Amino acid sequence: MDNDKDFIMKQVKSFAEGLGYVLGKKRNGDIEVVFQQENQQKNKFLAEIEQYLEKKKYREAIQSFFKLKYELEPGEYLKIGNQLLDKLKARLADEDEQVLLLERSLKNFKERWLGK
């Protein structure tokens, strides 16, 4: 995520910089470090998912994906989930238990997220 293009992230960053200035402890890199740590955590899970897919450990890949639920924005979570679902469908039968599990989970998440 490009923090300078995201409206909310710009607001948070501006607020934190202003607060730092008021407190007399302005340090330009502090906020970026937090965002980098969040991105590193997300990238760790994405790399883990890819490794499990390469090793044909599909259940573990799905479990790693589920860990991303609270690391990502809902739209991005669904996008990655759909990509994972496509990869699983390319490797497994559509009726496979793991494919159906991920499909149901994504459907339920989407319904809750969209408020249906």
Side-chain angles (χ1 to χ4, degrees), residues 43-58 60-61 64 84 87 91:
N43 291 337
K44 177 187 144 203
F45 286 128
L46 292 174
E48 195 174 273
I49 290 168
E50 286 300 321
Q51 288 175 354
Y52 284 133
L53 288 174
E54 288 174 15
K55 295 177 183 178
K56 298 181 181 181
K57 294 184 175 185
Y58 305 121
E60 290 85 349
S64 289
L84 175 58
K87 289 178 183 182
R91 297 168 188 216

Side-chain angles (χ1 to χ4, degrees), residues 74-85:
E76 189 174 356
Y77 179 76
L78 284 172
K79 178 182 168 188
I80 291 171
N82 286 322
Q83 289 172 349
L84 175 58
L85 184 61

Side-chain angles (χ1 to χ4, degrees), residues 1-111:
M1 174 188 299
D2 187 3
N3 294 331
D4 292 330
K5 291 183 181 175
D6 185 277
F7 176 75
I8 294 172
M9 297 304 272
K10 281 195 308 189
Q11 296 299 316
V12 169
K13 183 177 178 182
S14 296
F15 173 78
E17 288 175 348
L19 183 61
Y21 180 78
V22 169
L23 296 174
K25 298 179 181 180
K26 184 177 182 195
R27 290 175 275 185
N28 287 334
D30 291 350
I31 294 171
E32 292 299 319
V33 171
V34 173
F35 296 139
Q36 287 174 359
Q37 287 173 346
E38 290 174 1
N39 286 335
Q40 287 172 350
Q41 185 72 7
K42 179 182 86 171
N43 291 337
K44 177 187 144 203
F45 286 128
L46 292 174
E48 195 174 273
I49 290 168
E50 286 300 321
Q51 288 175 354
Y52 284 133
L53 288 174
E54 288 174 15
K55 295 177 183 178
K56 298 181 181 181
K57 294 184 175 185
Y58 305 121
R59 185 171 304 280
E60 290 85 349
I62 293 169
Q63 290 172 346
S64 289
F65 166 70
F66 288 155
K67 292 176 189 175
L68 284 170
K69 188 175 193 174
Y70 303 104
E71 301 290 327
L72 301 173
E73 296 292 323
E76 189 174 356
Y77 179 76
L78 284 172
K79 178 182 168 188
I80 291 171
N82 286 322
Q83 289 172 349
L84 175 58
L85 184 61
D86 290 342
K87 289 178 183 182
L88 288 176
K89 283 183 175 182
R91 297 168 188 216
L92 302 169
D94 286 350
E95 296 82 25
D96 186 276
E97 174 188 332
Q98 296 164 77
V99 171
L100 294 174
L101 168 73
L102 182 58
E103 222 166 22
R104 278 191 309 270
S105 175
L106 289 172
K107 181 182 177 199
N108 290 338
F109 181 82
K110 187 176 181 180
E111 288 173 355

